[in-house]
Amino acid sequence: MEKTLIIVKPDAVEKNLIGSILNFFETKNFEIIQLEMMALSDEMLNEHYHHLTDKPFFPEIVEFMQSLPVVVATLQADNAVEKVRNLVGVTDPSEAEEGTLRKIHGTDVMHNVIHASDSVDNARAEIKRFFG
Ligand code: IDP
Ligand code: MG
């Protein structure tokens, strides 16, 4: 069994999609093993998006991710990291495959509904970051 971390982003919270997104994964046989609604601090976002801190749009990402509390969850399944990334879709919703969460609910490259860990190593680090 593998674990991965998802964050239901503020755009999804704003659209009342928390339950629907968690249900989407539960019906696909992912087990929710940790779950918390939380406000993300500057420090958490600097770590979580460390690969983007140099980008001109980084302050906007921080503003967006702090615009409402988010829902952070650890999901467990065989091959969970890759499976969840595939169900989430690519970063830009307009380029995401039909049926993916970002295609269905995303607005633009920043407001794309959900974060999902992109590797087993990053999943481990992210689960530790958000759940200790
Ligand atoms: P990912 O979420 O698909 O793994 P990353 O490249 O890790 O994509 O970027 C993290 C988040 O930063 C994206 O989900 C999106 O919200 C935001 N982001 C990424 N690239 C851009 C961009 O070019 N403009 C605005 N926001 C971006
Ligand atoms: Mg990423």
Side-chain angles (χ1 to χ4, degrees):
M1 282 295 201
E2 196 171 276
K3 293 173 191 171
T4 192
L5 183 117
I6 61 164
I7 303 176
V8 180
K9 294 186 180 185
D11 55 334
V13 174
E14 169 77 28
K15 292 186 217 174
N16 293 338
L17 290 172
I18 297 170
S20 154
I21 288 174
L22 295 178
N23 183 249
F24 176 90
F25 289 109
E26 282 193 313
T27 58
K28 291 173 173 61
N29 286 320
F30 291 89
E31 199 181 342
I32 299 171
I33 59 169
Q34 290 173 300
L35 181 68
E36 190 174 330
M37 192 163 203
M38 62 177 90
L40 298 179
S41 65
D42 288 346
E43 190 185 356
M44 275 173 161
L45 285 167
N46 282 325
E47 283 177 24
H48 184 66
Y49 286 137
H50 59 88
H51 57 301
L52 297 174
T53 50
D54 291 345
K55 303 282 186 192
F57 52 82
F58 184 69
E60 255 186 277
I61 293 182
V62 173
E63 192 183 355
F64 164 53
M65 292 298 291
Q66 293 180 336
S67 62
L68 282 175
V70 297
V71 173
V72 186
T74 302
L75 304 183
Q76 182 167 274
D78 286 327
N79 202 21
V81 171
E82 190 185 344
K83 273 190 197 152
V84 169
R85 287 288 289 195
N86 288 339
L87 291 165
V88 161
V90 297
T91 311
D92 185 345
S94 70
E95 291 170 9
E97 261 189 69
E98 291 300 330
T100 60
L101 286 172
R102 283 172 167 171
K103 181 69 172 191
I104 297 167
H105 299 298
T107 305
D108 57 48
V109 69
M110 182 173 297
H111 305 94
N112 58 7
V113 181
I114 184 165
H115 163 82
S117 308
D118 64 3
S119 69
V120 173
D121 282 352
N122 282 338
R124 196 173 296 124
E126 291 174 4
I127 291 164
K128 196 170 173 201
R129 175 173 310 132
F130 293 104
F131 291 110

